[in-house]
Amino acid sequence: MPMTAIILAAGEGTRMKSRHPKVMHKLLDRPLVSWVTRAARLAGAERIVVVVGHGADEVRAHLAGEKDVECVEQTERLGTGHAVRVALEGARVNKGAVLVLNGDGPLVESETLRRLAKPVIDDGAAEAILTWTPADPFGYGRLEFNAEGDVTRIIEQKDCTPEQAASLTACNPGFYAFDGAKLAAHIGELSTANVQHEYYVTDMVEILRGHGERVAAVRTEDADELLGVNSRAQLAQLTAIARDRINARLMDEGVTIVDPATTWVGPDVTVGRDTVLLPMTMLWGSTTVGEECVLGPNTRLTDCAVGNRVSLEETVGVDVTIDDDVTCGPRAYLRGGAHVLEGAHVGTHVEIKNSTIGRGSKVPHLSYIGDCTMGSGVNIGGGSITCNYDGVHKNRTVIGNDVFVGSDTMMVAPVTIGDGALVGASSCVTKDVPADALYLERAEQRIVEGYASRRLERLKRSED
Ligand code: UD1
Ligand code: CA
């Protein structure tokens, strides 16, 4: 059965006290809504429909990066049932299994969503509802069951009598699975006859049962994965839960994390065995790290591919590839598609952008290498930079194999330095250097013996 997920994300989230819609607040490396789209995707949803409303443009712009996601705008917030209806109509969903998920419930696991959809996919239920019994059920919709354990009704907290509020303790965290055809056929029957005068998606239980359908309950024991974000304090609390879960999994898989409280890893990152993550390390996005690496302290990587036995100390990398046996830092910054090949070294206060650093090459100190193709076995002296920008264009520097560039060299691109060439320290390279040549650009040296003391005497005399 094909699966569609509808994610409710039109709400403002007043308690966040923010200019931004609630679902755009970040948890680890991505906004809340993207945790839910991810869980839906991993659960097998082929289509993901996000209902946007408050701050719609911001949510849409963010979700444009997720190709399997469609946004449907709910211009008036008339309740969760209305939001689902807008999604069904806007995205023409009327078959398969339909998950309805809360956009502010980022920790829900794909495994749980699969379990939720099962009664609909395999056992003919028209709807399935996730449920648990929290320590304090206040505020949640309450489930009523029949003798078979099926759900007969959900009563919102605000619609509960005091007796119902006290006796009904199984709660609705806001995650549902529906038979899409039955949902689409009957959603028009929702009404606003309740305390809040809203269309409640929770009323689908009674409507579907009225048509002779079954509504299953799917229980979960893990209360943490059902937590929602309504305030900044809850955002911090859930962030810590997500961090701890991911760190626990990595340690299980053979990664050493010296201080799990200060190590932050996104949900899609992979780290190989016997790699050590030192304190204040952050690994985000699609980053992959191989085995036997040492990262940190203070290393942050976003969307990077790191090989084996790599050491990255106080290194920031964004969108770069770092091959086996590379060492970087302390204080290296690599970005913009840089590729550091096997055994190379990028040292202290060095920035590498959109460049290839060849096998075993070294850029040890205080350099900027941008838009450069560098061969293997190259040594770049301290303080040397590629002058890649002429004010209008970015130009390339090409450095062959086994080139030695002396310290404080300016390579004014576009320029090519041939294999095995030698560039004298403090040169400004504006012409191509042939292979095996010496390039030297330096004013003639002068030595004036005894000059310093004569100058001092002259200055003292002029004071009298
Ligand atoms: C809902 C459930 C309640 C459940 C609780 C769990 C209903 C009627 N009640 O209540 O049983 O215990 O969630 O958190 O569904 N939204 C829209 N458009 C709207 C209204 C809401 O997109 O018109 C979105 C919100 O942004 C939010 C989600 O739907 O992500 C839930 O809405 P919310 O108002 O928080 O529902 P609750 O009253 O908490
Ligand atoms: Ca809520």
Side-chain angles (χ1 to χ4, degrees):
M1 204 186 248
M3 193 192 278
T4 302
I6 294 172
I7 299 174
L8 306 186
E12 175 177 3
T14 333
R15 276 184 282 162
M16 298 298 282
K17 305 209 173 100
S18 174
R19 274 179 218 289
H20 306 281
K22 177 161 72 177
V23 294
M24 283 305 294
H25 286 263
K26 263 191 175 177
L27 190 149
L28 297 183
D29 60 356
R30 66 197 69 199
L32 296 176
V33 66
S34 288
W35 284 82
V36 187
T37 58
R38 176 179 184 273
R41 194 172 293 128
L42 292 176
E46 289 144 35
R47 295 180 70 192
I48 300 175
V49 181
V50 177
V51 181
V52 297
H54 187 84
D57 292 344
E58 192 177 337
V59 183
R60 256 186 224 282
H62 165 69
L63 289 172
E66 299 183 26
K67 297 300 169 210
D68 52 356
V69 172
E70 310 156 57
C71 292
V72 171
E73 188 158 352
Q74 185 194 22
T75 43
E76 289 178 292
R77 251 78 74 204
L78 304 179
T80 50
H82 179 253
V84 172
R85 185 172 173 177
V86 164
L88 294 176
E89 288 169 2
R92 296 207 176 77
V93 179
N94 52 25
K95 54 178 188 288
V98 176
L99 294 172
V100 173
L101 313 173
N102 231 318
D104 58 12
L107 300 186
V108 70
E109 300 273 350
S110 57
E111 204 36 60
T112 305
L113 297 182
R114 243 183 251 135
R115 213 153 53 78
L116 175 62
K118 198 174 179 305
V120 170
I121 293 174
D122 294 337
D123 312 329
E127 181 179 357
I129 299 173
L130 206 59
T131 181
W132 91 125
T133 303
D136 178 11
F138 184 82
Y140 289 102
R142 309 302 171 79
L143 273 59
E144 243 182 27
F145 302 96
N146 64 13
E148 287 79 51
D150 286 342
V151 187
T152 51
R153 185 149 76 122
I154 303 179
I155 312 172
E156 288 303 295
Q157 173 79 44
K158 287 178 180 150
D159 295 289
C160 276
T161 63
E163 294 73 39
Q164 287 168 330
S167 65
L168 303 175
T169 54
C171 289
N172 168 31
F175 298 94
Y176 320 85
F178 289 94
D179 178 304
K182 291 168 184 168
L183 176 64
H186 300 298
I187 193 146
E189 295 163 36
L190 286 175
S191 82
T192 56
N194 52 58
V195 172
Q196 303 184 80
H197 305 293
E198 283 180 6
Y199 295 99
Y200 290 170
V201 71
T202 45
D203 286 348
M204 286 311 297
V205 176
E206 283 176 280
I207 291 172
L208 289 168
R209 285 184 60 80
H211 292 282
E213 301 290 348
R214 231 190 99 215
V215 178
V218 174
R219 295 186 175 277
T220 171
E221 300 312 318
D222 181 357
D224 279 355
E225 86 174 275
L226 305 178
L227 291 172
V229 174
N230 293 302
S231 65
R232 307 258 183 176
Q234 284 171 336
L235 181 62
Q237 186 196 348
L238 267 67
T239 300
I241 292 170
R243 176 202 60 202
D244 290 347
R245 282 188 175 188
I246 291 167
N247 286 346
R249 169 173 61 77
L250 291 173
M251 290 189 279
D252 245 22
E253 292 168 359
V255 177
T256 293
I257 300 181
V258 172
D259 182 14
T262 62
T263 303
W264 305 82
V265 181
D268 291 330
V269 172
T270 62
V271 184
R273 280 194 185 189
D274 292 314
T275 282
V276 177
L277 304 182
L278 296 171
M280 292 307 298
T281 290
M282 300 180 186
L283 305 177
W284 302 141
S286 60
T287 296
T288 60
V289 178
E291 301 188 354
E292 309 263 3
C293 295
V294 179
L295 306 192
N298 250 319
T299 285
R300 171 163 57 85
L301 303 178
T302 305
D303 301 332
C304 291
V306 176
N308 301 313
R309 299 172 304 277
V310 168
S311 160
L312 304 176
E313 184 178 356
E314 286 199 67
T315 293
V316 174
V318 181
D319 182 28
V320 300
T321 303
I322 299 173
D323 293 349
D324 293 350
D325 302 299
V326 163
T327 54
C328 293
R331 304 194 181 211
Y333 179 29
L334 303 100
R335 64 192 174 93
H339 185 183
V340 184
L341 273 65
E342 222 177 308
H345 172 62
V346 173
T348 307
H349 296 284
V350 171
E351 179 176 352
I352 309 279
K353 188 217 72 171
N354 185 30
S355 295
T356 304
I357 307 299
R359 281 172 178 243
S361 289
K362 295 184 170 65
V363 190
H365 330 277
L366 299 154
S367 282
Y368 169 63
I369 303 294
D371 303 305
C372 172
T373 307
M374 189 186 296
S376 60
V378 171
N379 188 79
I380 302 288
S384 296
I385 69 168
T386 54
C387 309
N388 60 324
Y389 186 50
D390 56 18
V392 180
H393 302 107
K394 298 284 171 67
N395 300 300
R396 280 203 91 70
T397 300
V398 178
I399 302 176
N401 298 322
D402 304 309
V403 168
F404 183 94
V405 174
S407 296
D408 188 33
T409 294
M410 303 294 117
M411 292 165 273
V412 182
V415 73
T416 298
I417 303 175
D419 290 347
L422 183 65
V423 178
S426 197
S427 293
C428 181
V429 184
T430 52
K431 293 188 190 118
D432 287 353
V433 184
D436 200 31
L438 166 69
Y439 181 99
L440 196 61
E441 182 274 334
R442 200 184 277 169
E444 204 185 322
Q445 308 291 300
R446 274 176 73 197
I447 293 178
V448 183
E449 297 277 0
Y451 175 86
S453 53
R454 287 205 299 279
R455 171 175 168 273
L456 215 57
E457 275 165 30
R458 193 172 66 233
L459 290 173
K460 279 184 184 152
R461 266 202 308 279
S462 71
E463 261 179 21
D464 300 337

